[in-house]
Amino acid sequence: MPEFRYQELFELGPDETPYRSLGSDGVAATRLDGREILKVEPEALERLARAAIEDVSHLLRPGHLAQVRKILDDPEASRNDRFVALELLKNANIAAGRILPGCQDTGTAIVLGHKGENVFTGANDAEWLSKGIYRAYQELNLRFSQLAPLDVYTEKNTGTNLPAQIELHAEPGDAYELLFITKGGGSANKTFLYQETKALLNPESLLRFIAEKIRTIGTSACPPYHLALVVGGTSAEATMKAVKLASTHYLDRLPTTGNDLGRAFRDLDLEGKVLKLCNETGIGAQFGGKYFAHDVRVVRLPRHGASCPVGLGVSCSADRQILARIDRDGVFLEQLE
Amino acid sequence: MGEIRAELSKHSVTTQLSLTGPLIVARDIAHARLKERLDAGGDLPSYFKDHCIYYAGPAKTPKGLASGSFGPTTAGRMDSYVGPFQERGGSLVMLAKGNRSRQVRDACKKFGGFYLGSIGGPAARLAEHSIKKVEVQEFPELGMEAIWRIEVEDFPAFIVVDDQGNDFYADLIEKPLPTLQITP
């Protein structure tokens, strides 16, 4: 009989994200019961959220920009691929001025936080993060896109872009790690769950399935895409959450092999094959060509024997996510450009 | 509108265009409201018949600029309105992003309409380079989903669906899958 061994589902390797410092105001160390405690004033969370939304609405990851730029030099890119890529680069340049956001759909604000149990804020973190998000949408030239239902059919724009989607986890440690995403409607709508079976799990069936499904994404979510495919999952919602995280490249540091405890892993071989399928659609960067996708992430998860959820999703040309971290050295935000 | 359509008729699907002039901007809620009017026995407003319809909802206009970021929204969500509106002389030329369903191709062929594809994504570039004036036309209470009237100059677009039943994406997205080579 196998012994008990705890397996972290997502074993992420070391974080090599470049961060910029927002200072250490509101962060102080103290001791309690022999433990080092990090006290974080809730105002620091508010300021962090405000800054995260501003940066993510106007800037992009250098890696993403490099991928757009590379289209211009690729002899296999179509004329339209290059035209779109050039417009996207000009757009990024303008948006970096922090006056006009890169996309008019400034999205739904989404926060995923992992709070070490030695971090004390003494407050309702979701409320203070919401306040920072609120300030960003009030003070910047963003857009209010959230509709509150008054009854089943009657709606009203909330006028603040709240509510945000905030999910906070408690775990061991003394750091507070956050991921902010502002997800637009176009790309959110191209997120799909397929309830499949074991019969799909062979190379030919799976690739044929993927080739068919990626075409249904079409051009509505502004390719070139960062495509995310998740095969398996302990539940439908687990699969879909993994799709979202994979599309932000949050799961890039997963191992590349599985184990008999069911850890999640990235399959690099399938990523290459699916990218080739994307190139071959001919859909390109919206008007025909090669660049339907910049890259693909494939994550394989454990599953109940009777279920095989498969998730597909994208991050679009407004590739908006930003990591953040609070630890004894202060408050840090991913460096975008 | 007649002149615009006559000009578009001369060119095939995939032709790249540069648009200059007025556009009426409307998206989800406005389309639903106009449909309610039709269902209640009313008609589309004349501005909706005289001008091209751009599906979009803008971000805030920065102080001192003519327009905020203002790229296209997904055309597919408005597909069900195209037939009914074109029948009444509206939505004959539409501008948005993304591929659309068969019903749009059929309506454009039946009523002589066009769907022009704008590049999805470069909203700031459009604001800075192509959009010269933005004002509310109707439904101000809808915020970004109001019907707007805008003036554009050198706004890039492609003919995606024409009045002959052609669709830029039909071959790409609807054609049967190629034989897959599965290399071990």
Side-chain angles (χ1 to χ4, degrees):
Chain A
M1 185 177 84
E3 283 181 352
F4 172 76
R5 285 182 290 165
Y6 179 68
Q7 170 70 62
E8 203 66 59
L9 185 57
F10 296 107
E11 269 179 17
L12 295 180
D15 180 12
E16 284 162 19
T17 305
Y19 289 96
R20 66 182 181 92
S21 168
L22 298 188
S24 6
D25 277 0
V27 177
T30 187
R31 294 193 75 83
L32 176 68
D33 291 353
R35 282 155 58 173
E36 177 116 343
I37 299 295
L38 194 69
K39 290 197 305 181
V40 175
E41 281 164 27
E43 287 82 358
L45 283 180
E46 180 190 328
R47 284 193 301 270
L48 177 58
R50 167 72 180 75
I53 301 296
E54 177 168 341
D55 279 17
V56 90
S57 302
H58 297 95
L59 308 175
L60 289 162
R61 284 182 165 160
H64 171 87
L65 287 166
Q67 286 174 306
V68 181
R69 171 71 183 82
K70 140 177 165 235
I71 294 174
L72 300 178
D73 296 332
D74 183 352
E76 291 175 0
S78 69
R79 181 188 165 276
N80 287 348
D81 281 340
R82 285 192 211 108
F83 178 63
V84 170
L86 189 57
E87 287 299 295
L88 290 172
L89 289 175
K90 289 179 189 168
N91 190 65
N93 219 32
I94 296 165
R98 296 174 184 267
I99 301 293
L100 290 164
C103 182
Q104 77 287 339
D105 182 350
T106 51
T108 297
I110 297 176
V111 186
L112 174 65
H114 293 271
K115 184 178 183 183
E117 65 155 10
N118 292 330
V119 178
F120 287 5
T121 59
N124 182 348
D125 293 7
E127 183 176 347
W128 287 87
L129 290 165
S130 294
K131 183 102 187 289
I133 292 165
Y134 163 86
R135 279 186 42 225
Y137 282 89
Q138 289 294 314
E139 294 164 12
L140 301 164
N141 299 305
L142 307 182
R143 194 182 81 175
F144 303 129
S145 306
Q146 307 307 313
L147 297 178
L150 303 178
D151 63 42
V152 174
Y153 307 106
T154 314
E155 299 176 303
K156 187 166 187 264
N157 193 307
T158 62
T160 58
N161 211 54
L162 297 179
Q165 175 178 303
I166 301 177
E167 187 187 313
L168 301 174
H169 294 268
E171 52 184 47
D174 53 7
Y176 204 155
E177 293 169 349
L178 300 120
L179 170 67
F180 293 84
I181 304 168
T182 52
K183 190 74 178 170
S187 65
N189 293 349
K190 295 300 179 184
T191 312
F192 298 103
L193 171 71
Y194 308 101
Q195 294 286 16
E196 293 298 315
T197 68
K198 170 71 178 167
L200 188 70
L201 296 181
N202 61 76
E204 186 167 342
S205 301
L206 184 58
L207 283 171
R208 179 164 304 281
F209 175 86
I210 295 166
E212 181 200 317
K213 298 309 182 194
I214 58 179
R215 278 164 173 75
T216 66
I217 297 175
T219 55
S220 294
C222 306
Y225 299 128
H226 294 285
L227 193 79
L229 174 71
V230 175
V231 179
T234 46
S235 64
E237 64 271 22
T239 302
M240 297 319 294
K241 183 173 168 190
V243 167
K244 181 64 134 291
L245 294 180
S247 74
T248 67
H249 290 186
Y250 187 82
L251 299 179
D252 278 14
R253 295 136 39 206
L254 282 177
T256 53
T257 54
N259 68 8
D260 60 3
L261 296 176
R263 74 180 180 190
F265 67 91
R266 262 180 79 181
D267 192 283
L268 303 180
D269 178 68
L270 195 50
E271 288 181 5
K273 292 194 159 85
V274 175
L275 183 60
K276 189 147 179 290
L277 289 179
C278 289
N279 297 346
E280 287 165 3
T281 60
I283 298 171
Q286 306 181 33
F287 298 102
K290 175 182 175 186
Y291 280 90
F292 186 61
H294 288 300
D295 55 31
V296 179
R297 294 294 183 264
V298 176
V299 176
R300 185 69 168 88
L301 297 179
R303 63 186 187 91
H304 183 293
S307 301
C308 187
V310 174
L312 188 64
V314 301
S315 179
C316 65
S317 289
D319 182 43
R320 295 186 303 227
Q321 61 277 308
I322 187 170
L323 291 163
R325 176 179 180 85
I326 305 177
D327 59 29
R328 68 186 55 199
D329 298 325
V331 182
F332 299 90
L333 194 53
E334 181 178 350
Q335 179 76 62
L336 302 179
E337 131 184 3
Chain B
M1 177 48 59
E3 280 172 27
I4 296 169
R5 288 161 60 214
E7 181 62 38
L8 288 171
S9 268
K10 296 183 199 157
H11 304 281
S12 61
V13 151
T14 79
T15 303
Q16 192 174 338
L17 308 169
S18 169
L19 307 177
T20 295
L23 296 174
I24 290 295
V25 180
R27 53 185 285 158
D28 307 65
I29 302 177
H31 277 74
R33 294 259 181 111
L34 293 179
K35 181 74 169 47
E36 279 166 20
R37 272 190 211 168
L38 290 188
D39 292 344
D43 194 9
L44 296 174
S46 58
Y47 64 76
F48 212 83
K49 304 185 193 186
D50 294 340
H51 302 295
C52 305
I53 309 299
Y54 178 41
Y55 299 162
K60 282 184 239 166
T61 301
K63 264 202 269 286
L65 297 186
S67 174
S69 294
F70 209 151
T73 195
T74 304
R77 298 197 310 274
M78 270 55 77
D79 281 6
S80 63
Y81 299 106
V82 177
F85 284 16
Q86 286 188 343
E87 190 171 30
R88 309 300 290 265
S91 293
L92 286 170
V93 179
M94 302 160 286
L95 174 66
K97 63 146 161 136
N99 50 294
R100 305 187 77 167
S101 62
R102 174 111 222 184
Q103 64 187 303
V104 174
R105 195 189 321 167
D106 292 343
C108 285
K109 184 170 181 187
K110 182 172 177 189
F111 297 108
F114 294 85
Y115 164 55
L116 309 179
S118 167
I119 304 175
R125 164 91 176 134
L126 284 173
E128 197 207 55
H129 177 82
S130 302
I131 302 175
K132 303 302 174 189
K133 191 166 173 213
V134 175
E135 54 191 13
V136 176
Q137 175 74 38
E138 204 173 340
F139 305 134
E141 71 278 13
L142 297 183
M144 65 100 167
E145 293 219 34
I147 295 183
W148 304 84
R149 188 196 155 101
I150 67 175
E151 297 280 336
V152 305
E153 226 175 85
D154 189 28
F155 186 117
F158 292 82
I159 303 182
V160 174
V161 176
D162 68 12
D163 54 356
Q164 306 297 315
N166 299 307
D167 181 340
F168 188 142
Y169 296 115
D171 276 347
L172 292 174
I173 293 176
E174 291 166 28
K175 71 180 174 189
L177 297 180
T179 320
L180 299 176
Q181 301 283 10
I182 314 293
T183 44

